[in-house]
Amino acid sequence: MNHSNVKSDRSEAQPLLRPARKEDAAQVIPLLYQAIGDIAYALAGEGEHEKAMQILQQFYVQEDNRISYRNITVMEQNEQVAGILVAYDGGEADLLDQPILDRPGRSTDEKYTLVKETRPGEYYLDTLSVSEAYQGQGIGKALMAAFEQQGRELGHSRVSLIVERDNGRALMLYERQGYIKDEVIVIGGHEYNHMVKPIL
């Protein structure tokens, strides 16, 4: 009997959407950095890359800040974290930022000021990031749909996000999905469009 064409289905495993776990930290933090760039240093209050990533990892395993694993959903593919979604209630933004601002040793340099990105009454998409190895497979779209569904389930009537003003591709993508620009905010010297979408 010839078994040469019997392949394991593992390579084509269905992507699995699940809540993030503490042990995902080593895979989640690089994806977070990939999406937010310099904002990572503002969150860490630290300009040295390795140190900043360590600080973000420490926040990730805690429970009460914006990048806590509790606010993160992951898309798992072949037992790898292929994409992440960080989202929370805009009304809790100040509370979620307090532990970050209170970290002992945090730099007081103005360039690390945390800017409020969201408003009360919104379910906010803080970060969406897809691993380069898994791009172009619909993972970002699936995470966006999951984000809007979470917002509905939590009783929000609108969702929001920010996108860099010069990121034309992302702007078009969000506009096509029904997001509308309502203001411009400046974070770390970069201009971002704050965009909202009704979901009820």
Side-chain angles (χ1 to χ4, degrees):
M1 193 170 166
N2 182 359
H3 291 283
S4 62
N5 63 356
V6 179
K7 271 196 194 146
S8 159
D9 284 340
R10 286 191 84 85
S11 61
E12 294 305 315
Q14 280 298 303
L16 167 71
L17 196 65
R18 63 165 174 81
R21 299 189 283 255
K22 287 184 180 182
E23 55 269 27
D24 296 322
Q27 292 186 75
V28 169
I29 296 305
L31 286 176
L32 187 74
Y33 176 68
Q34 171 185 292
I36 66 174
D38 289 349
I39 296 173
Y41 303 116
L43 283 173
E46 166 63 59
E48 202 276 303
H49 183 77
E50 287 309 313
K51 263 194 193 158
M53 295 307 108
Q54 282 171 0
I55 291 164
L56 294 187
Q57 211 154 341
Q58 286 161 11
F59 281 127
Y60 171 82
V61 297
Q62 292 165 17
E63 316 229 321
D64 56 357
N65 65 81
R66 71 157 92 166
I67 61 165
S68 163
Y69 72 97
R70 296 182 70 172
N71 295 323
I72 300 178
T73 302
V74 303
M75 183 70 86
E76 186 183 286
Q77 176 96 48
N78 304 326
E79 296 177 16
Q80 293 295 309
V81 174
I84 63 166
L85 155 69
V86 183
Y88 46 82
D89 182 335
E92 292 178 5
D94 289 337
L95 271 174
L96 291 170
D97 281 348
Q98 208 52 57
I100 290 170
L101 294 169
D102 291 344
R103 182 183 70 78
R106 178 181 173 82
S107 169
T108 53
D109 192 310
E110 215 170 86
K111 67 183 176 191
Y112 299 137
T113 301
L114 283 191
V115 176
K116 199 159 179 185
E117 302 170 15
T118 179
R119 313 280 171 265
E122 301 171 348
Y123 189 55
Y124 180 63
L125 176 66
D126 182 293
T127 308
L128 187 137
S129 185
V130 178
S131 165
E132 282 183 16
Y134 292 99
Q135 284 175 9
Q137 298 177 27
I139 287 172
K141 207 171 177 182
L143 286 167
M144 277 301 289
F147 159 65
E148 292 179 9
Q149 186 55 33
Q150 285 174 4
R152 278 187 208 96
E153 286 170 5
L154 292 166
H156 293 277
S157 57
R158 64 185 194 159
V159 288
S160 68
L161 52 83
I162 61 168
V163 60
E164 263 193 278
R165 290 189 80 184
D166 58 8
N167 188 344
R169 211 171 129 230
L171 268 171
M172 263 174 50
L173 171 79
Y174 294 132
E175 281 170 348
R176 277 206 306 269
Q177 292 184 16
Y179 285 83
I180 300 149
K181 291 178 273 198
D182 71 344
E183 68 177 310
V184 174
I185 55 179
V186 179
I187 305 173
H190 300 273
E191 289 191 336
Y192 291 82
N193 285 321
H194 178 268
M195 304 181 82
V196 294
K197 174 183 178 176
I199 52 168
L200 286 182

